[in-house]
Amino acid sequence: MSSRRCAATPADSVDSALVRRDTLIHLLTEAAEIEHNLLCSYLYATFSLKSSDCGGLSAEEQTTVDRWRKTLTGIAIEEMAHLALVNNLLVAVGGAPRFDRPNFPVSPGYHPAGFVIRLAPLTRETLDHFIFLERPSGAGVPEGAGYRPQAGLARTPTPGDFTPSTPDYETIGDFYAEIRASMEAFARHAGSRTFVPAQHCQLTPDMADLPGLIAVKTLAEALTAIDTIVEQGEGSSCAKQRCHYSRFQGIAREWAALIALNPDFVPAHRAATDPVMRRPAEGLQRVWISHPETARLLDLANALYGFLLVLLENAWGGAAQQRPLVRASVALMHPLAQVGAMLARLASGEENSQRRNDIRRAAQFAAQPGIRRLAHGFGTHPAATTGRREPGIERRCRGPNSN
C-alpha cells in the first residue's frame, strides 16, 4: 500500500522533541470524533433512501437507489473500520478509546474551518457535500450548496508549550498526513517506549470483520493503519475507484443520468435536517420532533445507539468477554438500521413551521456522555446491572404486547 502524505507535512519536518505523547493522543482523539461523525452522517443519508414498498420511483430508478443504499452502507462500514483503527492507535500510544462526540449539527469552528458536519437526507447538495469531505488534497471540488462554512473560523496555533492543539487543515487526508508525520516523529524520540503493552484492549480482525482492521503494536503497523484510512477514504489518487471519493462521484454521475430522464426524480424521503428531541432555542435552525409516535421511535433509536456504544467501549476496555461484546454490538446495528428507516417515513410533528409539516425523520444519533461509564470497568458487577435501561429497550423492540 502506498503511503499518503501531505506535502506540507513531511515526516522529517516535524521536530521529534516537540511531539509529546499527549499531542499524539490529542490528534487521534479528534480523528476518532471526525470518523464517528462521518459514520453517522452517512448512515442518516442511507436511512433516508426510498425502498420498493414506498412507491414513487420507476423500476429502473428503484434498482439504482437500492444499489446506492448498498454503496452507502459499504462506505459506512469502512468508516466503522476507520473508527476502530483510530481507537486501536489511541490505545497503542497510551490513550483511551474515544466514542464521545459533539451532537449534531456540530458547532461551527469545532472542527477545522472547512468542515460542516450535520445530519441530512440524501439530496444532490448532500452528495456534493460528501464528495467535498472525502476529496483528495488539491482536488478542485466545490462544497455542496447550503454547506459552505462560516467565514473567519480558521484555527490559530495555541500559544505556549504545554496545551495540545490541532492545526487547521483543508482535507481529511491533510489531517492524517499530520498524524502520520507526528507518529513517526514521536517514535524517533520515544523509541521502544512509543507503544504501550495494551494489545488486549484493541480490536483484532478475528473479533470484527471490518475491512483493513489490524491491531497496532509497532510503528509499521501504526503507519499501515493510517494509510488504510486515507486509501479507503480519498484514495492514493483521484483515479482509485474503490475509495469513498470515487464511489460518491459514481453516485453523482448516475443521479445526473436519472435526472436527465426524469427531472422529478427524488431518491430519498424528506427526512429532517438537524432534528432535535427538545424544543430548540429561539433562532436555531432545527426540526423539533414532537409527533408522539415519531418521538417514541426516535427515543428507541437513540437508546439502541447509546447501548451499542456501551458494548463497544467495554470491548475496547479489555473486558473478558470481548468477542461476545463485539458480536452483540454488530447484531444491534440491524434493529438500529430498521428503526432509522422507519423514522424516515414518519412525520416530525405539527409544532414545526408550516413549511416543515411534511418533513419526515430518521435516527438522531444523540450523543449521551457519561452513559457508557456505567458499565466501564465494572459492567459485570451486580450493582451495575440494577436500574439499567436494557430490559426496557428489548421490550420496546419486541412491541407493545410483549412482557
Side-chain angles (χ1 to χ4, degrees):
M1 180 177 293
S2 63
S3 63
R4 181 76 172 90
R5 298 179 187 167
C6 175
T9 317
D12 56 5
S13 72
V14 178
D15 189 339
S16 302
L18 296 180
V19 180
R20 303 188 308 268
R21 191 177 300 274
D22 60 338
T23 305
L24 197 52
I25 290 172
H26 183 82
L27 291 170
L28 290 168
T29 296
E30 175 158 321
E33 291 189 5
I34 287 178
E35 298 295 352
H36 196 164
N37 285 333
L38 291 179
L39 165 61
C40 293
S41 297
Y42 297 162
L43 284 176
Y44 191 94
T46 305
F47 295 161
S48 73
L49 291 175
K50 294 177 181 177
S51 56
S52 57
D53 59 341
C54 297
L57 298 177
S58 69
E60 179 185 359
E61 290 170 343
Q62 187 63 62
T63 298
T64 303
V65 170
D66 290 342
R67 185 169 59 252
W68 292 355
R69 182 180 291 105
K70 291 180 180 179
T71 298
L72 289 170
T73 300
I75 291 173
I77 289 172
E78 289 182 356
E79 291 296 341
M80 295 177 196
H82 298 176
L83 180 58
L85 285 168
V86 171
N87 277 324
N88 279 356
L89 286 163
L90 270 167
V91 170
V93 297
R98 180 71 173 183
F99 290 99
D100 286 331
R101 57 161 185 78
N103 266 321
F104 294 106
V106 177
S107 299
Y110 184 88
H111 289 314
F115 285 66
V116 176
I117 309 292
R118 61 198 307 186
L119 297 179
L122 190 68
T123 63
R124 186 52 207 262
E125 293 77 15
T126 303
L127 180 60
D128 288 343
H129 175 57
F130 291 166
I131 294 171
F132 179 80
L133 288 175
E134 297 280 8
R135 74 195 186 281
S137 300
V141 177
E143 174 62 288
Y147 286 92
R148 292 180 177 84
Q150 296 180 15
L153 293 177
R155 286 175 170 173
T156 56
T158 302
D161 300 323
F162 301 109
T163 303
S165 64
T166 306
D168 220 358
Y169 44 90
E170 291 294 325
T171 69
I172 296 173
D174 290 342
F175 182 38
Y176 278 106
E178 177 76 22
I179 292 174
R180 196 184 203 280
S182 297
M183 181 72 74
E184 290 181 288
F186 180 68
R188 289 197 303 270
H189 174 69
S192 61
R193 296 172 297 170
T194 302
F195 301 100
V196 302
Q199 293 89 342
H200 65 287
C201 293
Q202 297 186 37
L203 257 61
T204 55
D206 61 316
M207 296 179 191
D209 185 19
L210 293 172
L213 178 63
I214 59 170
V216 176
K217 306 179 290 296
T218 67
L219 177 61
E221 290 168 337
L223 299 183
T224 295
I226 295 168
D227 292 342
T228 295
I229 294 170
V230 177
E231 292 285 338
Q232 289 182 353
E234 61 184 38
S236 58
S237 71
C238 294
K240 189 173 178 65
Q241 295 303 305
R242 290 299 302 165
C243 69
H244 300 176
Y245 175 72
S246 292
R247 281 187 272 178
F248 282 138
Q249 285 190 316
I251 293 176
R253 288 191 293 269
E254 292 185 334
W255 196 316
L258 290 173
I259 284 290
L261 296 173
N262 175 17
D264 296 325
F265 169 68
V266 177
H269 298 284
R270 293 194 63 219
T273 298
D274 299 334
V276 293
M277 287 192 69
R278 296 183 179 89
R279 184 190 295 271
E282 189 68 29
L284 289 180
Q285 296 298 312
R286 307 286 189 272
V287 176
W288 177 31
I289 308 304
S290 58
H291 188 284
E293 179 185 358
T294 311
R296 281 175 59 83
L297 199 59
L298 177 57
D299 179 52
L300 174 60
N302 285 335
L304 289 169
Y305 169 66
F307 187 40
L308 188 154
L309 296 185
V310 170
L311 297 173
L312 286 177
E313 184 153 333
N314 278 271
W316 254 279
Q321 301 298 317
Q322 231 176 346
R323 285 176 175 80
L325 286 170
V326 174
R327 286 199 298 268
S329 66
V330 172
L332 207 57
M333 294 175 187
H334 298 290
L336 177 59
Q338 291 175 324
V339 173
M342 291 170 62
L343 280 164
R345 307 183 187 196
L346 298 178
S348 58
E350 296 180 357
E351 287 79 359
N352 298 288
S353 63
Q354 188 173 17
R355 66 183 177 84
R356 291 182 171 177
N357 280 347
D358 60 340
I359 288 179
R360 303 305 187 242
R361 181 63 186 99
Q364 184 186 11
F365 300 108
Q368 302 166 46
I371 291 296
R372 297 186 298 286
R373 303 300 187 271
L374 289 171
H376 190 69
F378 54 85
T380 58
H381 191 281
T385 63
T386 303
R388 298 293 295 274
R389 58 183 176 167
E390 286 78 4
I393 295 174
E394 181 180 4
R395 286 193 296 271
R396 184 71 62 82
C397 287
R398 291 180 182 275
N401 297 322
S402 61
N403 295 321

